[in-house]
Amino acid sequence: MRSAVAGIAPGALVVGIFAGEALGPSASLPTIVLGCIGLAAAVVTRDRALRAGLLVLALACTGCTVERRALDGLRHWPLARSAELRADVVVRGTLVDDPDGTRWVTHTLLRVEAARIVGHRRHPFVDVHRTVLVDAEGDATGRVAVLEAGDDVVLRGYLRPLDGFDERLRWRHVVAGLTATDLLDAGGPASPLDQVANAARGFVLRGTDALPPTERALVAGFLLGDTRDLPDAVVARFRNAGLSHLLAVSGANVAFVLALAAPALRRLPRATRLGAALALLVVFGAMTRWEPSVLRACAMAAVAVVAVYVGRPAHAVRLLALAITALLVLDPFLVHSVGFLLSVGASLGIALLAVPIAARLRGPAWLRDSLATTAAAQVGVAPVLVPVFGSVPLVAIPANLLAVPLVGPLTIWGLAAGTFAGVVKTSVPPLAAALQWPTRILADAVLGIADAAARVPISVGAGTIAIGVAIGVAIWGIAVGGSVLARRRRMLRQRALVLPSR
């Protein structure tokens, strides 16, 4: 029963989230009350089926509540009217993302802690605690571009409502835009977590300075999900080859990090090992700027680590369900994140289909497992790829079969060698450059695979996939129906053979 509830919990939560989106912004007091009543009733009832139903109801109410409250936060905030009037303001806050852009404008997200309207003495700094999109222009462009996530800044500019393509950022809790014309002050991160994460990130990236620009940008994407310097043509080739997931940090990267740290973790006492593993996940998440796919991977890994610690290891599907449930309660807007949905789809596909597919294949175990995992992941992400991009490249499976085995060594070596090279770069430059030779060879190989696969112009559109799914469902239904009828006939024959006893 617990496994069943864990499996349907994300679905109930998602239904509640979309219901909350349909109802619109609100403090949502009725659903809070209903959810608490459902949870309390589930705790006291002894009937398992009723308890499961009450928990599902409580989760649906929770989803509705957190969504409506999140939408309410976008609409009602201290400077909402000032944004509509495009008021001139001075803001204090912390950068959420690493700045990106062109020579003329730099974009980033800023968590505004306080702000004041310029030219009004009666308007002191007021608490804001909202995220805005910063477009730094003029003299502020270059000065903002050299900063990084976690830095504290004071900016002057004018607020504006989100419009056009920028409206999609509201699903990242962005309430307005800020056209920054001047950077009044800037300082390093105040948070110890940001300080550690930025230092570790700096070591890794500095260790790759000996690589050519494209290879260096590709390695930064593999290791940290940082694709800002990757040429658009390369990004397009990876997308057309079905390899774009390699440019996003996901569960494989988290697994590699834990594998690198495993020898040190095993030497620690049991309780300390748990704390160190969770701390490592948090630091790595901060290094990758908490991208949605990283959130899913770190949350799932944290649940798995805790489950092993308490002596109750669980199936991957249950771990995924628990991780998704926790993340959606904290941030219901993740249901609109393509990266999050792709990560969840790939993980679910692998958890459900990899073993059955491998069991039906022939050949060496390493080939069967690789092919099964790749095919299962592609099936899992297809429901997301088709609506978003319109098709799924057929070359994705062979391309992944060739590229994925190279990504593991590239990631592990890149993290280890990049960190060490970053330390010895100033003292022993030739050693730092030599450490990156394997990294360059592996990166060039992956680039070559993506380039070759992207030249294959064959893909499967939404209509073809829909027909295939319909045929598959029909065949599955016929098979299940035939199995049920055959079983029923066997039971009738067995009953006919049984003689009545006196």
Side-chain angles (χ1 to χ4, degrees), residues 10-25 59-68 71 170-171 328 332-337 340-341:
L13 199 60
V14 169
V15 169
I17 288 173
F18 283 115
E21 187 174 331
L23 292 173
L59 284 168
C61 291
T62 300
C64 184
T65 299
V66 295
E67 176 71 9
R68 298 189 73 185
L71 291 172
R170 72 190 188 106
W171 300 125
L328 290 181
F333 287 173
L334 285 173
V335 297
H336 296 283
S337 169
F340 180 76
L341 296 178

Side-chain angles (χ1 to χ4, degrees), residues 427-464:
S427 57
V428 192
L431 177 59
L435 287 171
Q436 294 301 334
W437 290 346
T439 306
R440 180 173 182 179
I441 294 172
L442 291 169
D444 285 337
V446 176
L447 284 169
I449 293 170
D451 183 59
R455 298 176 187 274
V456 180
I458 303 176
S459 60
V460 180
T464 305

